[in-house]
Amino acid sequence: MDETILLVDDDAALLEVTSIVLASEGYRVVTAMDGTEALRALEGEDLDLVVLDIMLPRMSGFEVLKKMRETSDVPVVLLTAKSQSVDKVVGLELGADDYITKPFDTKELLARIKAILRRFGRGGRGREGTLRLGNLELDPGAYTVSRDGRPLELTPTEFKILALLMRRPGQAFTRAQISEAVSTGSHYLASRYIDVHISRLRAKVEGDPSRPQIIQTVPSVGYRAARPG
């Protein structure tokens, strides 16, 4: 196992304990105690996943995540306060892929990390053929999406949702089915979070609003990709 994980938290004791647990599982661990250090690590390290606390000094985790998403689609797990559900929504809107509330069980965090890396780690992407729908092309193996030949920047969760829909155009998926497909470990995304991701995904892939929708809403059910032609 050679995946590199960045842990970002201003709690030195938490960083030490979590680093020991992850290192014992074979991961290479990089740590940062504030946003500046985190962004520096993003530039200098070949990261496979980031565990990011929201409550950081000087620069919040939200600000760090926003800057990260300008240049990177590395999967991000947010550490959120137990009672602040709004933080989870905001984090997902900014491009986070999962969240875990503090205080957390390191076994649960480890399960989330393993699940994400299985889907998006260096060795976890199969060589499935390129999917095409209208002016969109999605290559699951290369982990790329383009519209009219121009690359699109999607978060890992957005990518998973789009791939799910494009594999079966015309088939309606419930929010529960989409949640199951994109959830990690024991975490199950609530329906409202799926709606958030769909909204962001549409804004990126639809392009010209005068064109027919690629991602269609199925009333009282969920979503589907339009049939080709």
Side-chain angles (χ1 to χ4, degrees), residues 84-86 88-89 92-93 99 175 179 189-199 223:
Q84 297 300 311
S85 61
V86 66
K88 302 165 189 175
V89 176
L92 291 169
E93 288 178 337
Y99 63 84
R175 290 173 178 82
S179 294
L189 287 177
S191 294
R192 65 181 180 277
Y193 299 150
I194 293 298
D195 293 339
V196 168
H197 283 298
I198 289 287
S199 177
Y223 301 96

mmCIF file of all heavy atoms in Angstrom, residues 84-86 88-89 92-93 99 175 179 189-199 223:
data_model
loop_
_atom_site.group_PDB
_atom_site.id
_atom_site.type_symbol
_atom_site.label_atom_id
_atom_site.label_comp_id
_atom_site.label_asym_id
_atom_site.label_seq_id
_atom_site.Cartn_x
_atom_site.Cartn_y
_atom_site.Cartn_z
ATOM 1 N N GLN A 84 -23.510 20.351 13.889
ATOM 2 C CA GLN A 84 -23.594 21.334 12.816
ATOM 3 C C GLN A 84 -23.891 20.684 11.471
ATOM 4 O O GLN A 84 -23.015 20.529 10.622
ATOM 5 C CB GLN A 84 -22.291 22.143 12.737
ATOM 6 C CG GLN A 84 -22.000 22.966 13.979
ATOM 7 C CD GLN A 84 -23.104 23.976 14.246
ATOM 8 O OE1 GLN A 84 -23.524 24.705 13.356
ATOM 9 N NE2 GLN A 84 -23.576 24.029 15.478
ATOM 10 N N SER A 85 -25.158 20.280 11.250
ATOM 11 C CA SER A 85 -25.513 19.635 9.982
ATOM 12 C C SER A 85 -25.346 20.576 8.804
ATOM 13 O O SER A 85 -25.085 20.144 7.677
ATOM 14 C CB SER A 85 -26.954 19.124 10.034
ATOM 15 O OG SER A 85 -27.859 20.197 10.252
ATOM 16 N N VAL A 86 -25.476 21.894 9.045
ATOM 17 C CA VAL A 86 -25.307 22.846 7.955
ATOM 18 C C VAL A 86 -23.888 22.791 7.406
ATOM 19 O O VAL A 86 -23.663 22.997 6.215
ATOM 20 C CB VAL A 86 -25.652 24.281 8.425
ATOM 21 C CG1 VAL A 86 -24.653 24.776 9.476
ATOM 22 C CG2 VAL A 86 -25.683 25.247 7.235
ATOM 23 N N LYS A 88 -22.146 20.179 6.964
ATOM 24 C CA LYS A 88 -22.070 19.053 6.040
ATOM 25 C C LYS A 88 -22.593 19.457 4.662
ATOM 26 O O LYS A 88 -22.010 19.105 3.635
ATOM 27 C CB LYS A 88 -22.865 17.879 6.595
ATOM 28 C CG LYS A 88 -22.383 17.420 7.968
ATOM 29 C CD LYS A 88 -23.395 16.527 8.658
ATOM 30 C CE LYS A 88 -22.998 16.249 10.106
ATOM 31 N NZ LYS A 88 -24.024 15.482 10.840
ATOM 32 N N VAL A 89 -23.682 20.197 4.656
ATOM 33 C CA VAL A 89 -24.261 20.641 3.387
ATOM 34 C C VAL A 89 -23.297 21.581 2.671
ATOM 35 O O VAL A 89 -23.023 21.427 1.478
ATOM 36 C CB VAL A 89 -25.609 21.342 3.618
ATOM 37 C CG1 VAL A 89 -26.163 21.884 2.299
ATOM 38 C CG2 VAL A 89 -26.609 20.385 4.245
ATOM 39 N N LEU A 92 -20.294 19.697 1.242
ATOM 40 C CA LEU A 92 -20.613 18.961 0.027
ATOM 41 C C LEU A 92 -20.778 19.898 -1.164
ATOM 42 O O LEU A 92 -20.379 19.582 -2.286
ATOM 43 C CB LEU A 92 -21.884 18.133 0.223
ATOM 44 C CG LEU A 92 -21.747 16.955 1.201
ATOM 45 C CD1 LEU A 92 -23.105 16.376 1.525
ATOM 46 C CD2 LEU A 92 -20.833 15.880 0.637
ATOM 47 N N GLU A 93 -21.367 21.060 -0.922
ATOM 48 C CA GLU A 93 -21.523 22.040 -2.000
ATOM 49 C C GLU A 93 -20.167 22.515 -2.509
ATOM 50 O O GLU A 93 -20.010 22.827 -3.687
ATOM 51 C CB GLU A 93 -22.343 23.226 -1.512
ATOM 52 C CG GLU A 93 -23.822 22.915 -1.309
ATOM 53 C CD GLU A 93 -24.595 24.098 -0.770
ATOM 54 O OE1 GLU A 93 -23.968 24.986 -0.163
ATOM 55 O OE2 GLU A 93 -25.823 24.132 -0.955
ATOM 56 N N TYR A 99 -17.966 12.994 5.040
ATOM 57 C CA TYR A 99 -17.713 13.709 6.278
ATOM 58 C C TYR A 99 -17.850 12.748 7.441
ATOM 59 O O TYR A 99 -18.499 11.695 7.342
ATOM 60 C CB TYR A 99 -18.674 14.888 6.455
ATOM 61 C CG TYR A 99 -20.123 14.488 6.566
ATOM 62 C CD1 TYR A 99 -20.674 14.086 7.778
ATOM 63 C CD2 TYR A 99 -20.950 14.508 5.439
ATOM 64 C CE1 TYR A 99 -21.998 13.696 7.872
ATOM 65 C CE2 TYR A 99 -22.274 14.120 5.535
ATOM 66 C CZ TYR A 99 -22.793 13.717 6.748
ATOM 67 O OH TYR A 99 -24.099 13.323 6.841
ATOM 68 N N ARG A 175 -33.088 8.428 -5.296
ATOM 69 C CA ARG A 175 -32.024 9.052 -4.491
ATOM 70 C C ARG A 175 -31.337 8.005 -3.619
ATOM 71 O O ARG A 175 -30.129 8.078 -3.394
ATOM 72 C CB ARG A 175 -32.605 10.177 -3.657
ATOM 73 C CG ARG A 175 -33.040 11.388 -4.479
ATOM 74 C CD ARG A 175 -33.771 12.415 -3.642
ATOM 75 N NE ARG A 175 -34.135 13.589 -4.425
ATOM 76 C CZ ARG A 175 -35.207 13.648 -5.214
ATOM 77 N NH1 ARG A 175 -36.003 12.592 -5.316
ATOM 78 N NH2 ARG A 175 -35.481 14.746 -5.895
ATOM 79 N N SER A 179 -27.466 7.257 -3.619
ATOM 80 C CA SER A 179 -26.748 7.329 -2.344
ATOM 81 C C SER A 179 -25.930 6.070 -2.110
ATOM 82 O O SER A 179 -24.765 6.128 -1.711
ATOM 83 C CB SER A 179 -27.737 7.525 -1.186
ATOM 84 O OG SER A 179 -28.375 8.768 -1.256
ATOM 85 N N LEU A 189 -25.273 8.911 2.333
ATOM 86 C CA LEU A 189 -25.645 10.290 2.043
ATOM 87 C C LEU A 189 -27.161 10.465 2.045
ATOM 88 O O LEU A 189 -27.881 9.681 1.435
ATOM 89 C CB LEU A 189 -25.097 10.704 0.672
ATOM 90 C CG LEU A 189 -23.589 10.935 0.567
ATOM 91 C CD1 LEU A 189 -23.233 11.268 -0.876
ATOM 92 C CD2 LEU A 189 -23.124 12.036 1.492
ATOM 93 N N ALA A 190 -27.630 11.483 2.725
ATOM 94 C CA ALA A 190 -29.059 11.764 2.759
ATOM 95 C C ALA A 190 -29.524 12.302 1.407
ATOM 96 O O ALA A 190 -28.742 12.806 0.608
ATOM 97 C CB ALA A 190 -29.375 12.778 3.855
ATOM 98 N N SER A 191 -30.827 12.192 1.147
ATOM 99 C CA SER A 191 -31.391 12.597 -0.147
ATOM 100 C C SER A 191 -31.074 14.044 -0.486
ATOM 101 O O SER A 191 -30.777 14.371 -1.635
ATOM 102 C CB SER A 191 -32.912 12.389 -0.139
ATOM 103 O OG SER A 191 -33.224 11.032 -0.061
ATOM 104 N N ARG A 192 -31.123 14.917 0.522
ATOM 105 C CA ARG A 192 -30.883 16.334 0.221
ATOM 106 C C ARG A 192 -29.447 16.575 -0.226
ATOM 107 O O ARG A 192 -29.174 17.519 -0.962
ATOM 108 C CB ARG A 192 -31.226 17.206 1.429
ATOM 109 C CG ARG A 192 -30.357 17.001 2.658
ATOM 110 C CD ARG A 192 -30.851 17.917 3.778
ATOM 111 N NE ARG A 192 -30.060 17.783 4.988
ATOM 112 C CZ ARG A 192 -30.237 16.841 5.902
ATOM 113 N NH1 ARG A 192 -31.193 15.945 5.723
ATOM 114 N NH2 ARG A 192 -29.487 16.794 6.986
ATOM 115 N N TYR A 193 -28.530 15.721 0.204
ATOM 116 C CA TYR A 193 -27.148 15.883 -0.235
ATOM 117 C C TYR A 193 -26.994 15.429 -1.688
ATOM 118 O O TYR A 193 -26.193 15.992 -2.442
ATOM 119 C CB TYR A 193 -26.202 15.102 0.671
ATOM 120 C CG TYR A 193 -26.223 15.556 2.115
ATOM 121 C CD1 TYR A 193 -25.969 14.670 3.150
ATOM 122 C CD2 TYR A 193 -26.509 16.876 2.441
ATOM 123 C CE1 TYR A 193 -25.997 15.089 4.472
ATOM 124 C CE2 TYR A 193 -26.537 17.297 3.752
ATOM 125 C CZ TYR A 193 -26.280 16.403 4.767
ATOM 126 O OH TYR A 193 -26.305 16.822 6.065
ATOM 127 N N ILE A 194 -27.745 14.395 -2.084
ATOM 128 C CA ILE A 194 -27.729 13.977 -3.484
ATOM 129 C C ILE A 194 -28.237 15.117 -4.354
ATOM 130 O O ILE A 194 -27.681 15.409 -5.420
ATOM 131 C CB ILE A 194 -28.593 12.714 -3.682
ATOM 132 C CG1 ILE A 194 -27.974 11.513 -2.968
ATOM 133 C CG2 ILE A 194 -28.781 12.422 -5.172
ATOM 134 C CD1 ILE A 194 -26.602 11.129 -3.482
ATOM 135 N N ASP A 195 -29.291 15.788 -3.920
ATOM 136 C CA ASP A 195 -29.829 16.922 -4.677
ATOM 137 C C ASP A 195 -28.788 18.021 -4.834
ATOM 138 O O ASP A 195 -28.690 18.654 -5.892
ATOM 139 C CB ASP A 195 -31.076 17.480 -3.988
ATOM 140 C CG ASP A 195 -32.250 16.515 -4.018
ATOM 141 O OD1 ASP A 195 -32.254 15.619 -4.878
ATOM 142 O OD2 ASP A 195 -33.160 16.654 -3.181
ATOM 143 N N VAL A 196 -28.001 18.259 -3.787
ATOM 144 C CA VAL A 196 -26.944 19.271 -3.849
ATOM 145 C C VAL A 196 -25.923 18.895 -4.921
ATOM 146 O O VAL A 196 -25.528 19.717 -5.754
ATOM 147 C CB VAL A 196 -26.253 19.423 -2.478
ATOM 148 C CG1 VAL A 196 -24.962 20.242 -2.610
ATOM 149 C CG2 VAL A 196 -27.182 20.095 -1.480
ATOM 150 N N HIS A 197 -25.482 17.641 -4.904
ATOM 151 C CA HIS A 197 -24.489 17.201 -5.883
ATOM 152 C C HIS A 197 -25.047 17.249 -7.308
ATOM 153 O O HIS A 197 -24.334 17.637 -8.247
ATOM 154 C CB HIS A 197 -24.027 15.780 -5.554
ATOM 155 C CG HIS A 197 -23.067 15.710 -4.409
ATOM 156 N ND1 HIS A 197 -21.833 16.319 -4.436
ATOM 157 C CD2 HIS A 197 -23.161 15.107 -3.201
ATOM 158 C CE1 HIS A 197 -21.202 16.079 -3.306
ATOM 159 N NE2 HIS A 197 -21.989 15.357 -2.530
ATOM 160 N N ILE A 198 -26.300 16.846 -7.482
ATOM 161 C CA ILE A 198 -26.919 16.886 -8.806
ATOM 162 C C ILE A 198 -26.977 18.318 -9.320
ATOM 163 O O ILE A 198 -26.688 18.592 -10.502
ATOM 164 C CB ILE A 198 -28.341 16.281 -8.769
ATOM 165 C CG1 ILE A 198 -28.270 14.755 -8.580
ATOM 166 C CG2 ILE A 198 -29.121 16.635 -10.028
ATOM 167 C CD1 ILE A 198 -27.813 13.989 -9.799
ATOM 168 N N SER A 199 -27.344 19.241 -8.461
ATOM 169 C CA SER A 199 -27.424 20.648 -8.860
ATOM 170 C C SER A 199 -26.061 21.162 -9.330
ATOM 171 O O SER A 199 -25.958 21.822 -10.374
ATOM 172 C CB SER A 199 -27.938 21.490 -7.687
ATOM 173 O OG SER A 199 -27.957 22.859 -8.022
ATOM 174 N N TYR A 223 -33.496 10.663 -10.513
ATOM 175 C CA TYR A 223 -32.834 11.256 -11.663
ATOM 176 C C TYR A 223 -32.473 10.176 -12.679
ATOM 177 O O TYR A 223 -32.342 8.996 -12.344
ATOM 178 C CB TYR A 223 -31.567 12.002 -11.244
ATOM 179 C CG TYR A 223 -31.815 13.113 -10.261
ATOM 180 C CD1 TYR A 223 -31.660 12.889 -8.893
ATOM 181 C CD2 TYR A 223 -32.219 14.381 -10.681
ATOM 182 C CE1 TYR A 223 -31.897 13.908 -7.966
ATOM 183 C CE2 TYR A 223 -32.447 15.393 -9.775
ATOM 184 C CZ TYR A 223 -32.289 15.158 -8.423
ATOM 185 O OH TYR A 223 -32.530 16.168 -7.523
#
